Amino acid sequence: MEKVKNTFDVAIIGGGINGSSIAYQLSKIGKKVVLLEKNQLACEASSAAAGMLAAQAEIEQDGPFFQLALKSQSMFQALSNELLEMTGIDIEFIQKGMIKIAETEEMAKEVQQQAAFQRNWDPEIEWLDRNSLLKLEPSLSQNVTGGMYLPNDGHVQPAKLSQAFANAAELLGATILENTEVLSLIYENDRVIGVKTTLGNLHCQQVVLATGAWASKLLQETGLDITVYPVKGECFSVKTDTPIINRTIFSDKRCYIVPKRNGEIYIGATQVENTFDKKVTPGGIIRLIERAVKLVPQIKDAPWERVWAGVRPQTGDGLPYIGEHPFKKGLFIAAGHYRNGILLSPVTGTLVADLLQGKSDENLLKAFRIDRNKAKVY
């Protein structure tokens, strides 16, 4: 007979920010959860991200993805307080705003249109010309044309958020197993009944696959091939005693500059598709330095701090997969969040918890179905 300690309601595979968020939400409703991570919690994309909550800077049209992002963004203030009270971890939720920069007159027209569109959801969003921007952030380049100012945008420390989710789940009774790889899934009559791991078999009623860029691997054994592929992002940071900037600077030219509470400024990120290689290259960092200095010239003289890289999970249509496997009952997926994994982590946790209870909003989740893109079945 299987030992009771090896039997759970739900096994979550992947200890990144979304896996930990799901574990927290399921534990809150009394589910017996095991969170399985083959390395250490938040050791991949979740710790490499800058932590921007840029729903309205990155997503430029209305639709299910945009509405999901807005909903998740609105959850952070209460979540920050809740996790601090439960775990003592400050996720460093900072809401000083973001500026989406226009560097040319042509870009200015596009960003002005975006500002007008985004005011439908936040009337405080405004277009600022060069002079107004420089009053707000004097260290910006004199060459910027203008920018969309999003005063209510913010950012967090992703690794701390991941750890807070996991710690809170554990306090509520979840079991967390690091350095534990899931080798395969266990089925009975096309229903998942457990997972085979490097520590042995674990029995469960439901399994959630939250393995980011590695999501395709275990799904392939189920006869389903979805499009989730890695996109490497290289970043660097500088650290100053007095702030150079106070707000996040975001450019369409694949550059963001995020000032953190400890004086560090995160600058990212390159995009290198179809590689799990996290080596940082001189070429990638040089391109980032050039972009960053063009926007904020003082960065050129700021003390160097560190470089790093992470692997983001992208999908064929840019939307995450959130839903139940089409023909393996009890198997769910939450992966492919790409650049928005941190932003979407609160709502992903609640959506998946509802989904596993049969309470999901089918209209909302339709856009994120696993089989939406004619996934290959074999």
Side-chain angles (χ1 to χ4, degrees), residues 166-369:
N167 285 17
E170 197 167 29
L171 287 169
L172 293 169
T175 298
I176 296 177
L177 299 176
E178 296 182 286
N179 302 304
T180 305
E181 184 175 2
V182 174
L183 304 173
S184 63
L185 305 175
I186 305 171
Y187 304 97
E188 186 176 273
N189 299 324
D190 285 331
R191 171 173 287 279
V192 67
I193 60 167
V195 293
K196 180 181 180 181
T197 81
T198 49
L199 289 182
N201 293 350
L202 303 178
H203 289 183
C204 57
Q205 298 171 12
Q206 295 168 312
V207 172
V208 180
L209 193 62
T211 50
W214 291 263
S216 297
K217 183 179 176 183
L218 280 172
L219 275 179
Q220 284 175 347
E221 75 169 48
T222 71
L224 187 68
D225 189 4
I226 62 171
T227 304
V228 179
Y229 61 92
V231 181
K232 179 172 79 168
E234 297 158 291
C235 306
F236 77 95
S237 71
V238 296
K239 191 172 183 180
T240 59
D241 294 330
T242 56
I244 295 175
I245 55 170
N246 292 298
R247 296 160 185 86
T248 298
I249 309 300
F250 183 89
S251 170
D252 263 349
K253 291 186 176 180
R254 297 180 180 177
C255 181
Y256 54 73
I257 304 171
V258 186
K260 294 296 182 178
R261 185 178 292 169
N262 67 351
E264 201 171 358
I265 301 174
Y266 290 10
I267 296 138
T270 61
Q271 297 181 60
V272 185
E273 295 187 355
N274 296 306
T275 180
F276 287 100
D277 183 353
K278 292 193 293 181
K279 293 187 181 72
V280 177
T281 64
I285 298 302
I286 287 169
R287 288 193 297 275
L288 286 178
I289 292 171
E290 289 172 345
R291 291 171 189 155
V293 169
K294 188 176 179 182
L295 294 171
V296 182
Q298 286 185 43
I299 285 175
K300 178 177 63 176
D301 300 314
W304 186 268
E305 184 70 6
R306 60 194 177 105
V307 297
W308 69 95
V311 177
R312 315 178 194 95
Q314 178 60 303
T315 65
D317 61 6
L319 300 179
Y321 290 104
I322 304 173
E324 187 171 12
H325 195 287
F327 49 85
K328 296 292 186 184
K329 296 299 179 186
L331 176 59
F332 300 81
I333 184 172
H337 293 68
Y338 191 43
R339 291 166 61 101
N340 295 287
I342 310 305
L343 167 65
L344 293 175
S345 60
V347 78
T348 298
T350 57
L351 276 177
V352 174
D354 286 346
L355 190 62
L356 268 63
Q357 296 179 85
K359 298 184 192 175
S360 61
D361 182 339
E362 291 301 321
N363 289 328
L364 176 64
L365 285 176
K366 186 177 179 181
F368 311 110
R369 286 171 56 96

Side-chain angles (χ1 to χ4, degrees), residues 55-112:
Q56 291 170 284
E58 291 222 48
I59 306 169
E60 298 173 1
Q61 59 184 11
D62 195 9
F65 189 46
F66 180 58
Q67 293 303 320
L68 196 69
L70 288 179
K71 182 177 181 180
S72 201
Q73 188 184 55
S74 71
M75 297 168 72
F76 271 91
Q77 184 62 73
L79 184 66
S80 174
N81 297 335
E82 183 179 313
L83 291 174
L84 179 62
E85 185 176 346
M86 282 191 71
T87 69
I89 297 174
D90 181 358
I91 67 170
E92 298 186 25
F93 174 56
I94 297 171
Q95 205 168 12
K96 291 186 177 179
M98 173 183 288
I99 300 168
K100 185 168 185 177
I101 293 291
E103 297 177 63
T104 64
E105 291 296 337
E106 185 179 355
M107 288 174 65
K109 292 177 183 177
E110 293 179 9
V111 178
Q112 281 176 301

